[in-house]
Amino acid sequence: VQLQASGGGSVQAGGSLRLSCDAAGRDFNIDSMGWFRQAPGNEREFVTAISWSGDSTYYADSVKGRFTISRDNAKNTVYLQMNSLKPEDTALYICAEDNIFLSTSYSVPSYWNYWGKGTLVTVSS
């Protein structure tokens, strides 16, 4: 399984970035996709997830109203549009993939078995 994230970079507070994660090696059309982030010295933190169909999305309270997850099953790609970025959004953003049924499981890192290496997002004040 390969998960290749891209689109990270440095941006000033209030700015926007769009992350992409290209997936290969599993049946993307039946898998949920998620984004987590990890800042230096911190544990991996749930950001958002999307069901296999794209009909259901889930967000951490800290990003609701600012971030939007979407997917293109024809391209095996999941996106994360990040607006109104804050310095506290600075982290390595990591995409994850797995066949998860329970919505309560999305936010728990141990339920995801497939991880990419991440893309770094730095937000300056």
Side-chain angles (χ1 to χ4, degrees):
V1 176
Q2 291 187 336
L3 296 169
Q4 183 64 52
S6 61
S10 297
V11 64
Q12 289 191 328
S16 298
L17 283 174
R18 189 193 194 205
L19 307 185
S20 299
C21 178
D22 296 320
R26 284 179 56 85
D27 188 346
F28 186 82
N29 295 296
I30 65 170
D31 277 350
S32 301
M33 297 296 297
W35 286 97
F36 288 75
R37 65 187 182 187
Q38 190 164 16
N42 290 358
E43 294 186 351
R44 191 162 294 187
E45 174 189 23
F46 171 73
V47 177
T48 180
I50 188 168
S51 63
W52 65 272
S53 64
D55 289 344
S56 299
T57 56
Y58 308 87
Y59 295 93
D61 288 343
S62 59
V63 306
K64 279 181 183 176
R66 300 188 298 122
F67 290 11
T68 302
I69 189 171
S70 61
R71 65 189 293 160
D72 185 338
N73 285 2
K75 296 183 178 180
N76 284 15
T77 300
V78 63
Y79 305 98
L80 179 60
Q81 178 66 44
M82 306 187 296
N83 299 328
S84 303
L85 283 161
K86 305 175 181 180
E88 52 263 43
D89 294 319
T90 295
L92 181 69
Y93 282 72
I94 307 161
C95 60
E97 179 178 2
D98 216 324
N99 193 359
I100 297 177
F101 293 100
L102 297 177
S103 60
T104 52
S105 302
Y106 283 136
S107 63
V108 181
S110 61
Y111 280 101
W112 299 84
N113 288 302
Y114 305 98
W115 297 87
K117 292 186 177 180
T119 184
L120 184 62
V121 171
T122 303
V123 184
S124 58
S125 57

Coordinates of all heavy atoms in Angstrom, one line a residue, residues 17-100:
L17 N -4.1 26.2 2.2 CA -3.4 25.2 1.5 C -4.3 24.1 1.1 O -5.3 23.8 1.8 CB -2.3 24.6 2.4 CG -1.0 25.5 2.6 CD1 -0.1 24.8 3.6 CD2 -0.2 25.6 1.3
R18 N -4.0 23.4 0.1 CA -4.8 22.2 -0.3 C -3.8 21.0 -0.4 O -2.9 21.0 -1.2 CB -5.4 22.4 -1.7 CG -6.4 21.3 -2.0 CD -6.8 21.3 -3.5 NE -8.0 20.5 -3.8 CZ -8.2 20.0 -5.0 NH1 -7.4 20.2 -6.0 NH2 -9.3 19.3 -5.2
L19 N -4.1 20.0 0.5 CA -3.3 18.8 0.5 C -3.9 17.7 -0.4 O -5.2 17.7 -0.5 CB -3.1 18.3 1.9 CG -2.6 19.3 3.0 CD1 -2.4 18.5 4.3 CD2 -1.3 19.9 2.5
S20 N -3.1 16.9 -0.9 CA -3.6 15.7 -1.7 C -2.9 14.5 -1.2 O -1.8 14.5 -0.7 CB -3.3 15.9 -3.2 OG -3.9 17.0 -3.7
C21 N -3.6 13.4 -1.3 CA -3.0 12.1 -0.9 C -3.4 11.1 -2.0 O -4.6 10.8 -2.2 CB -3.5 11.6 0.4 SG -2.9 10.0 0.9
D22 N -2.5 10.6 -2.7 CA -2.7 9.6 -3.8 C -2.5 8.2 -3.2 O -1.5 7.9 -2.6 CB -1.7 9.8 -4.9 CG -1.9 11.1 -5.6 OD1 -3.1 11.5 -5.8 OD2 -0.9 11.8 -6.0
A23 N -3.5 7.3 -3.4 CA -3.5 6.0 -2.8 C -3.3 4.9 -3.9 O -3.8 5.1 -5.0 CB -4.7 5.8 -2.0
A24 N -2.6 3.9 -3.5 CA -2.4 2.7 -4.4 C -2.2 1.5 -3.6 O -1.6 1.5 -2.5 CB -1.2 3.0 -5.3
G25 N -2.7 0.4 -4.1 CA -2.4 -0.9 -3.5 C -3.6 -1.5 -2.8 O -3.5 -2.7 -2.5
R26 N -4.7 -0.8 -2.6 CA -5.9 -1.3 -2.0 C -7.1 -0.9 -2.9 O -6.9 0.0 -3.8 CB -6.1 -0.8 -0.6 CG -5.2 -1.5 0.4 CD -5.4 -0.9 1.8 NE -6.8 -1.0 2.3 CZ -7.3 -2.1 2.8 NH1 -6.6 -3.2 3.0 NH2 -8.6 -2.1 3.3
D27 N -8.2 -1.4 -2.6 CA -9.4 -1.0 -3.3 C -9.9 0.3 -2.7 O -10.7 0.3 -1.7 CB -10.5 -2.1 -3.2 CG -11.7 -1.8 -4.1 OD1 -11.8 -0.6 -4.6 OD2 -12.5 -2.7 -4.3
F28 N -9.5 1.4 -3.3 CA -9.8 2.7 -2.7 C -11.3 3.0 -2.6 O -11.7 3.7 -1.7 CB -9.2 3.8 -3.7 CG -9.2 5.2 -3.2 CD1 -8.3 5.7 -2.3 CD2 -10.2 6.0 -3.7 CE1 -8.4 7.0 -1.8 CE2 -10.3 7.4 -3.3 CZ -9.4 7.8 -2.3
N29 N -12.1 2.3 -3.5 CA -13.5 2.6 -3.5 C -14.3 2.1 -2.3 O -15.4 2.5 -2.1 CB -14.1 2.1 -4.8 CG -13.5 2.8 -6.0 OD1 -13.7 4.0 -6.2 ND2 -12.8 2.0 -6.9
I30 N -13.6 1.2 -1.5 CA -14.4 0.7 -0.4 C -13.7 1.1 0.9 O -14.2 0.8 2.0 CB -14.4 -0.9 -0.4 CG1 -13.0 -1.5 -0.3 CG2 -15.1 -1.3 -1.7 CD1 -13.1 -3.0 -0.1
D31 N -12.6 1.9 0.8 CA -11.9 2.3 2.0 C -12.3 3.7 2.5 O -12.5 4.6 1.6 CB -10.4 2.3 1.8 CG -9.8 0.9 2.0 OD1 -10.5 0.0 2.5 OD2 -8.6 0.7 1.6
S32 N -12.3 3.9 3.8 CA -12.4 5.2 4.3 C -11.0 5.8 4.3 O -10.0 5.1 4.2 CB -12.8 5.2 5.8 OG -14.1 4.5 5.9
M33 N -11.0 7.2 4.2 CA -9.7 7.9 4.2 C -9.7 8.9 5.3 O -10.7 9.5 5.7 CB -9.5 8.6 2.9 CG -9.4 7.6 1.7 SD -8.0 6.5 1.7 CE -6.6 7.7 1.7
G34 N -8.5 9.1 5.9 CA -8.4 10.1 7.0 C -7.2 10.9 6.9 O -6.2 10.5 6.2
W35 N -7.2 12.0 7.6 CA -6.0 12.9 7.8 C -5.8 13.0 9.3 O -6.7 13.3 10.0 CB -6.2 14.3 7.2 CG -6.2 14.3 5.7 CD1 -7.3 14.3 4.8 CD2 -5.0 14.4 4.8 NE1 -6.8 14.4 3.5 CE2 -5.4 14.4 3.5 CE3 -3.6 14.5 5.1 CZ2 -4.6 14.5 2.4 CZ3 -2.8 14.6 4.0 CH2 -3.2 14.6 2.7
F36 N -4.6 12.8 9.6 CA -4.1 13.0 11.0 C -3.0 14.1 10.9 O -2.4 14.3 9.9 CB -3.6 11.8 11.7 CG -4.7 10.8 12.0 CD1 -5.4 10.1 11.0 CD2 -5.1 10.6 13.3 CE1 -6.4 9.2 11.3 CE2 -6.2 9.7 13.6 CZ -6.8 9.0 12.6
R37 N -2.6 14.6 12.0 CA -1.4 15.5 12.1 C -0.6 15.2 13.4 O -1.2 14.8 14.4 CB -1.8 17.0 12.0 CG -2.7 17.5 13.1 CD -3.2 18.9 12.8 NE -3.9 19.5 13.9 CZ -4.6 20.6 13.8 NH1 -4.6 21.3 12.7 NH2 -5.3 21.1 14.9
Q38 N 0.6 15.6 13.3 CA 1.5 15.4 14.4 C 2.5 16.5 14.4 O 3.3 16.7 13.5 CB 2.2 14.0 14.3 CG 3.0 13.6 15.6 CD 3.3 12.2 15.6 OE1 3.3 11.5 14.6 NE2 3.7 11.7 16.8
A39 N 2.5 17.2 15.5 CA 3.4 18.3 15.7 C 4.6 17.7 16.6 O 4.4 16.8 17.3 CB 2.8 19.5 16.5
P40 N 5.8 18.3 16.5 CA 6.9 17.9 17.3 C 6.6 17.7 18.7 O 6.1 18.7 19.3 CB 8.0 18.9 17.0 CG 7.6 19.5 15.7 CD 6.1 19.5 15.6
G41 N 6.9 16.6 19.3 CA 6.7 16.4 20.7 C 5.2 16.0 21.1 O 4.9 15.8 22.3
N42 N 4.4 16.0 20.1 CA 3.0 15.7 20.4 C 2.5 14.4 19.8 O 3.2 13.8 18.9 CB 2.0 16.8 19.8 CG 2.2 18.1 20.5 OD1 2.9 18.3 21.5 ND2 1.5 19.1 20.0
E43 N 1.4 13.9 20.3 CA 0.9 12.6 19.8 C 0.2 12.9 18.5 O -0.2 14.0 18.2 CB -0.1 12.0 20.8 CG 0.6 11.5 22.1 CD -0.3 10.8 23.0 OE1 -1.6 10.7 22.7 OE2 0.1 10.2 24.0
R44 N 0.0 11.8 17.7 CA -0.8 11.9 16.5 C -2.2 12.3 16.8 O -2.8 11.7 17.6 CB -0.7 10.6 15.7 CG -1.2 10.7 14.3 CD -0.7 9.5 13.5 NE 0.7 9.5 13.3 CZ 1.4 8.7 12.5 NH1 0.8 7.7 11.9 NH2 2.7 8.8 12.4
E45 N -2.7 13.3 16.0 CA -4.0 13.9 16.3 C -4.9 13.7 15.1 O -4.5 14.0 14.0 CB -3.8 15.4 16.7 CG -5.1 16.2 16.9 CD -4.8 17.7 17.0 OE1 -3.8 18.1 16.5 OE2 -5.6 18.4 17.5
F46 N -6.2 13.3 15.4 CA -7.2 13.2 14.3 C -7.5 14.6 13.8 O -7.7 15.5 14.6 CB -8.4 12.5 14.8 CG -9.6 12.5 13.9 CD1 -9.6 11.7 12.8 CD2 -10.7 13.3 14.1 CE1 -10.7 11.7 11.9 CE2 -11.8 13.3 13.3 CZ -11.8 12.5 12.2
V47 N -7.6 14.7 12.5 CA -8.1 15.9 11.8 C -9.4 15.8 11.2 O -10.4 16.5 11.5 CB -7.0 16.4 10.8 CG1 -7.5 17.7 10.1 CG2 -5.7 16.6 11.5
T48 N -9.5 14.8 10.3 CA -10.8 14.6 9.6 C -10.8 13.2 8.9 O -9.7 12.6 8.7 CB -10.9 15.7 8.5 OG1 -12.2 15.5 7.8 CG2 -9.8 15.7 7.5
A49 N -11.9 12.7 8.5 CA -12.1 11.5 7.8 C -13.3 11.5 6.9 O -14.2 12.3 7.1 CB -12.2 10.3 8.8
I50 N -13.3 10.7 5.9 CA -14.4 10.6 4.9 C -14.7 9.1 4.6 O -13.8 8.3 4.5 CB -14.0 11.4 3.6 CG1 -15.2 11.5 2.7 CG2 -12.8 10.8 2.9 CD1 -14.9 12.5 1.6
S51 N -16.0 8.8 4.5 CA -16.4 7.5 4.2 C -16.0 7.1 2.8 O -15.7 7.9 2.0 CB -17.9 7.3 4.5 OG -18.6 8.2 3.5
W52 N -16.1 5.8 2.5 CA -15.8 5.3 1.2 C -16.5 6.0 0.0 O -16.0 6.2 -1.0 CB -16.0 3.8 1.1 CG -17.4 3.4 1.2 CD1 -18.1 3.1 2.3 CD2 -18.4 3.2 0.1 NE1 -19.4 2.8 2.0 CE2 -19.6 2.9 0.7 CE3 -18.3 3.4 -1.3 CZ2 -20.7 2.6 -0.1 CZ3 -19.4 3.1 -2.0 CH2 -20.6 2.8 -1.5
S53 N -17.8 6.3 0.3 CA -18.6 6.9 -0.7 C -18.5 8.5 -0.8 O -18.9 9.1 -1.7 CB -20.1 6.6 -0.5 OG -20.5 7.2 0.8
G54 N -17.9 9.0 0.3 CA -17.8 10.5 0.4 C -19.0 11.1 1.0 O -19.1 12.3 1.2
D55 N -20.0 10.3 1.3 CA -21.3 10.8 1.8 C -21.2 11.3 3.3 O -22.0 12.2 3.7 CB -22.4 9.7 1.8 CG -22.8 9.4 0.4 OD1 -22.5 10.3 -0.5 OD2 -23.5 8.4 0.2
S56 N -20.2 10.7 4.0 CA -20.1 11.1 5.4 C -18.7 11.7 5.7 O -17.7 11.1 5.2 CB -20.3 9.9 6.3 OG -21.6 9.4 6.2
T57 N -18.6 12.7 6.4 CA -17.3 13.3 6.8 C -17.3 13.6 8.3 O -18.4 13.9 8.9 CB -17.1 14.6 6.0 OG1 -18.2 15.5 6.2 CG2 -16.9 14.4 4.5
Y58 N -16.2 13.7 8.8 CA -16.0 13.9 10.3 C -14.8 14.8 10.5 O -13.8 14.7 9.8 CB -15.7 12.5 11.0 CG -16.8 11.5 10.6 CD1 -16.6 10.7 9.5 CD2 -17.9 11.3 11.4 CE1 -17.6 9.8 9.1 CE2 -18.9 10.4 11.0 CZ -18.7 9.6 9.9 OH -19.7 8.7 9.6
Y59 N -14.9 15.7 11.5 CA -13.9 16.7 11.7 C -13.6 16.8 13.2 O -14.5 16.7 14.0 CB -14.3 18.0 11.2 CG -14.5 18.1 9.7 CD1 -15.7 17.9 9.1 CD2 -13.4 18.3 8.8 CE1 -15.9 17.9 7.7 CE2 -13.6 18.4 7.5 CZ -14.8 18.2 6.9 OH -15.0 18.2 5.5
A60 N -12.4 17.1 13.5 CA -12.0 17.4 14.8 C -12.6 18.8 15.1 O -12.7 19.7 14.2 CB -10.5 17.5 15.0
D61 N -13.0 19.1 16.3 CA -13.6 20.4 16.7 C -12.6 21.5 16.3 O -13.1 22.6 15.9 CB -13.9 20.5 18.2 CG -15.1 19.6 18.5 OD1 -15.8 19.2 17.6 OD2 -15.2 19.3 19.7
S62 N -11.3 21.3 16.4 CA -10.4 22.4 16.2 C -10.3 22.8 14.7 O -9.8 23.9 14.4 CB -9.0 21.9 16.6 OG -8.6 20.7 15.9
V63 N -10.8 22.0 13.8 CA -10.7 22.4 12.4 C -12.1 22.6 11.7 O -12.2 23.0 10.5 CB -9.9 21.4 11.6 CG1 -8.6 21.2 12.2 CG2 -10.7 20.0 11.4
K64 N -13.2 22.3 12.4 CA -14.5 22.5 11.9 C -14.8 23.9 11.4 O -14.4 24.8 12.0 CB -15.6 22.1 12.9 CG -15.8 20.6 13.1 CD -16.9 20.4 14.1 CE -17.1 18.9 14.3 NZ -18.1 18.6 15.4
G65 N -15.3 23.9 10.2 CA -15.6 25.2 9.6 C -14.4 25.8 8.8 O -14.6 26.8 8.1
R66 N -13.2 25.3 9.0 CA -12.0 25.8 8.3 C -11.5 24.8 7.3 O -10.9 25.2 6.3 CB -10.9 26.1 9.3 CG -11.4 27.2 10.3 CD -10.2 27.6 11.2 NE -9.6 26.5 12.0 CZ -8.3 26.1 11.9 NH1 -7.5 26.7 11.0 NH2 -7.9 25.1 12.7
F67 N -11.6 23.5 7.6 CA -11.0 22.4 6.8 C -12.1 21.7 6.1 O -13.2 21.5 6.7 CB -10.2 21.5 7.6 CG -8.9 22.0 8.1 CD1 -8.6 23.4 8.1 CD2 -8.0 21.1 8.7 CE1 -7.4 23.8 8.6 CE2 -6.7 21.6 9.2 CZ -6.5 22.9 9.1
T68 N -11.9 21.2 4.9 CA -12.8 20.4 4.2 C -12.1 19.2 3.5 O -11.2 19.4 2.8 CB -13.5 21.2 3.1 OG1 -14.2 22.3 3.6 CG2 -14.6 20.3 2.4
I69 N -12.6 18.0 3.8 CA -12.1 16.8 3.2 C -13.0 16.4 2.0 O -14.2 16.5 2.1 CB -12.0 15.6 4.2 CG1 -11.2 14.5 3.6 CG2 -13.3 15.2 4.7 CD1 -10.8 13.4 4.6
S70 N -12.4 15.9 1.0 CA -13.1 15.4 -0.2 C -12.3 14.3 -0.8 O -11.1 14.1 -0.5 CB -13.4 16.5 -1.2 OG -12.2 17.1 -1.7
R71 N -12.9 13.5 -1.7 CA -12.2 12.4 -2.4 C -12.7 12.3 -3.8 O -13.9 12.7 -4.2 CB -12.4 11.1 -1.6 CG -13.9 10.6 -1.6 CD -14.0 9.4 -0.6 NE -13.2 8.3 -1.1 CZ -12.8 7.2 -0.3 NH1 -13.1 7.3 1.0 NH2 -12.2 6.2 -0.9
D72 N -11.8 11.8 -4.7 CA -12.2 11.5 -6.1 C -11.8 10.0 -6.3 O -10.7 9.7 -6.4 CB -11.3 12.4 -7.0 CG -11.7 12.2 -8.4 OD1 -12.3 11.2 -8.8 OD2 -11.4 13.1 -9.2
N73 N -12.8 9.2 -6.2 CA -12.6 7.7 -6.3 C -12.1 7.3 -7.7 O -11.4 6.3 -7.9 CB -13.9 7.0 -6.0 CG -14.1 7.0 -4.5 OD1 -13.4 7.6 -3.7 ND2 -15.2 6.3 -4.1
A74 N -12.3 8.1 -8.7 CA -11.8 7.8 -10.1 C -10.3 8.0 -10.1 O -9.6 7.4 -10.9 CB -12.5 8.7 -11.1
K75 N -9.8 8.9 -9.2 CA -8.3 9.2 -9.2 C -7.6 8.6 -8.0 O -6.4 8.8 -7.9 CB -8.1 10.7 -9.2 CG -8.6 11.4 -10.4 CD -8.3 12.9 -10.4 CE -8.8 13.6 -11.6 NZ -8.5 15.1 -11.6
N76 N -8.4 7.9 -7.2 CA -7.8 7.3 -6.0 C -7.0 8.4 -5.1 O -5.9 8.2 -4.6 CB -6.8 6.2 -6.3 CG -7.5 4.9 -6.7 OD1 -8.7 4.9 -7.0 ND2 -6.7 3.8 -6.8
T77 N -7.7 9.5 -5.0 CA -7.1 10.6 -4.3 C -8.1 11.2 -3.3 O -9.3 11.4 -3.6 CB -6.7 11.7 -5.3 OG1 -5.8 11.2 -6.2 CG2 -6.0 12.9 -4.6
V78 N -7.5 11.6 -2.1 CA -8.3 12.3 -1.1 C -7.6 13.7 -1.0 O -6.4 13.8 -1.1 CB -8.3 11.6 0.2 CG1 -7.0 11.4 0.8 CG2 -9.3 12.2 1.2
Y79 N -8.5 14.7 -0.7 CA -8.0 16.1 -0.6 C -8.3 16.7 0.8 O -9.3 16.3 1.4 CB -8.6 17.0 -1.7 CG -8.4 16.4 -3.1 CD1 -9.4 15.7 -3.7 CD2 -7.3 16.7 -3.8 CE1 -9.3 15.2 -5.0 CE2 -7.1 16.2 -5.1 CZ -8.1 15.5 -5.7 OH -7.9 15.0 -6.9
L80 N -7.5 17.6 1.2 CA -7.8 18.4 2.4 C -7.6 19.8 2.1 O -6.5 20.3 1.9 CB -6.9 17.9 3.6 CG -7.1 18.7 4.9 CD1 -8.5 18.5 5.4 CD2 -6.1 18.2 5.9
Q81 N -8.7 20.6 2.0 CA -8.7 22.0 1.8 C -8.6 22.7 3.2 O -9.5 22.5 4.0 CB -9.9 22.5 1.0 CG -9.9 24.0 0.8 CD -8.8 24.5 -0.1 OE1 -8.5 23.9 -1.1 NE2 -8.2 25.6 0.3
M82 N -7.6 23.4 3.4 CA -7.4 24.1 4.7 C -7.4 25.6 4.5 O -6.6 26.2 3.8 CB -6.0 23.6 5.3 CG -5.9 22.1 5.4 SD -4.4 21.6 6.3 CE -3.1 22.3 5.2
N83 N -8.4 26.2 5.1 CA -8.5 27.7 5.1 C -8.4 28.3 6.4 O -8.4 27.6 7.5 CB -9.9 28.0 4.5 CG -10.1 27.5 3.1 OD1 -9.2 27.4 2.3 ND2 -11.4 27.2 2.8
S84 N -8.2 29.6 6.5 CA -8.0 30.3 7.7 C -7.0 29.6 8.7 O -7.3 29.4 9.9 CB -9.4 30.4 8.4 OG -10.3 31.0 7.6
L85 N -5.9 29.3 8.1 CA -4.9 28.5 8.9 C -4.4 29.4 10.0 O -4.2 30.6 10.0 CB -3.8 28.1 7.9 CG -4.1 26.9 7.1 CD1 -3.1 26.8 5.9 CD2 -4.0 25.6 7.9
K86 N -4.1 28.6 11.1 CA -3.5 29.2 12.3 C -2.2 28.6 12.7 O -1.9 27.5 12.2 CB -4.5 28.9 13.5 CG -5.9 29.4 13.3 CD -6.8 28.9 14.4 CE -8.3 29.3 14.2 NZ -9.1 28.9 15.3
P87 N -1.3 29.3 13.4 CA 0.0 28.8 13.8 C -0.2 27.4 14.5 O 0.7 26.6 14.3 CB 0.5 29.8 14.7 CG -0.1 31.1 14.3 CD -1.5 30.7 13.8
E88 N -1.2 27.2 15.2 CA -1.4 25.9 15.9 C -1.7 24.8 14.9 O -1.8 23.6 15.3 CB -2.4 26.0 17.0 CG -3.8 26.6 16.6 CD -3.9 28.1 16.9 OE1 -2.9 28.8 16.7 OE2 -5.0 28.5 17.4
D89 N -2.0 25.1 13.7 CA -2.2 24.0 12.6 C -0.8 23.5 12.1 O -0.8 22.5 11.4 CB -3.0 24.6 11.5 CG -4.4 24.9 11.8 OD1 -5.0 24.2 12.6 OD2 -4.9 26.0 11.3
T90 N 0.3 24.1 12.5 CA 1.6 23.6 12.1 C 1.8 22.2 12.6 O 1.7 21.9 13.7 CB 2.7 24.5 12.7 OG1 2.5 25.8 12.1 CG2 4.0 24.0 12.3
A91 N 2.1 21.3 11.6 CA 2.3 19.9 11.9 C 2.7 19.1 10.6 O 2.5 19.7 9.5 CB 1.1 19.3 12.5
L92 N 3.0 17.9 10.8 CA 3.2 17.0 9.7 C 1.8 16.4 9.5 O 1.2 15.8 10.4 CB 4.2 15.9 10.0 CG 4.4 14.8 8.9 CD1 5.2 15.5 7.8 CD2 5.2 13.7 9.5
Y93 N 1.2 16.5 8.3 CA -0.1 16.0 8.0 C 0.0 14.7 7.3 O 0.7 14.6 6.2 CB -0.9 17.0 7.1 CG -1.4 18.1 7.9 CD1 -0.5 19.1 8.5 CD2 -2.7 18.2 8.3 CE1 -1.0 20.1 9.3 CE2 -3.2 19.2 9.1 CZ -2.4 20.2 9.6 OH -2.9 21.2 10.3
I94 N -0.6 13.7 7.8 CA -0.4 12.3 7.4 C -1.8 11.7 7.0 O -2.8 11.8 7.7 CB 0.1 11.4 8.5 CG1 1.4 12.1 9.1 CG2 0.4 10.0 8.1 CD1 1.8 11.6 10.5
C95 N -1.8 11.1 5.8 CA -3.1 10.5 5.4 C -3.1 9.0 5.7 O -2.0 8.4 5.8 CB -3.3 10.7 3.9 SG -2.1 10.0 2.8
A96 N -4.3 8.5 5.9 CA -4.5 7.1 6.4 C -5.6 6.5 5.6 O -6.5 7.2 5.1 CB -4.7 7.0 7.9
E97 N -5.5 5.2 5.4 CA -6.5 4.5 4.7 C -6.9 3.1 5.4 O -6.0 2.5 6.0 CB -6.0 4.1 3.3 CG -7.0 3.4 2.4 CD -6.4 3.1 1.0 OE1 -5.3 3.5 0.7 OE2 -7.2 2.5 0.2
D98 N -8.2 2.8 5.4 CA -8.6 1.5 5.9 C -10.1 1.3 5.7 O -10.8 2.3 5.4 CB -8.2 1.3 7.4 CG -7.8 -0.1 7.7 OD1 -8.4 -1.1 7.1 OD2 -6.9 -0.3 8.5
N99 N -10.5 0.1 5.9 CA -11.9 -0.3 5.7 C -12.6 -0.2 7.1 O -12.6 -1.2 7.8 CB -12.0 -1.6 5.1 CG -13.4 -1.9 4.7 OD1 -14.3 -1.1 4.8 ND2 -13.7 -3.1 4.1
I100 N -13.0 1.0 7.4 CA -13.6 1.2 8.8 C -15.1 1.4 8.7 O -15.6 2.2 7.9 CB -12.9 2.5 9.4 CG1 -11.4 2.2 9.6 CG2 -13.6 2.8 10.7 CD1 -10.6 3.4 10.1

